[in-house]
Amino acid sequence: SRLTNDIEEEIKTDISVENLKRIFIQKYNADPLKLEQIRFFYGGKEMRNQNLVGEYNVQEDTIITAFVAPPQKPGSKQQK
């Protein structure tokens, strides 16, 4: 099933994408998430954990898309 949630957050451009994922995890009140389950996209590009949000030229009142993968079942192999 597909779940769509909008989370509005004022973010600073000097934080890392990894820290933005941590903020997202705190705001997302469903099952506990792990960093590797979340992928952020902005302007058609995947945002990498080690980069700062500002490196993607994120503007005020724009949308960053989050894709959340389902948790891996114990013993299953992750596909790439």
Side-chain angles (χ1 to χ4, degrees):
S1 71
R2 183 177 168 173
L3 175 65
T4 302
N5 286 341
D6 291 339
I7 298 172
E8 191 169 323
E9 182 70 31
E10 186 173 323
I11 58 172
K12 297 182 183 203
T13 57
D14 63 346
I15 66 168
S16 69
V17 172
E18 183 173 330
N19 284 336
L20 181 59
K21 288 181 180 183
R22 292 181 198 285
I23 292 168
F24 180 82
I25 288 170
Q26 290 173 354
K27 295 278 183 178
Y28 194 79
N29 292 321
D31 294 316
L33 295 173
K34 296 181 180 171
L35 290 176
E36 53 273 359
Q37 287 178 257
I38 304 167
R39 294 171 64 193
F40 284 143
F41 292 85
Y42 180 76
K45 295 181 181 177
E46 183 172 2
M47 300 173 77
R48 301 290 178 189
N49 286 348
Q50 69 274 12
N51 293 353
L52 297 177
V53 171
E55 292 178 54
Y56 295 94
N57 201 23
V58 174
Q59 302 297 311
E60 190 173 335
D61 295 326
T62 58
I63 295 173
I64 294 174
T65 303
F67 287 95
V68 180
Q72 292 293 316
K73 294 179 181 176
S76 68
K77 292 183 179 180
Q78 186 175 0
Q79 292 183 342
K80 291 189 178 188

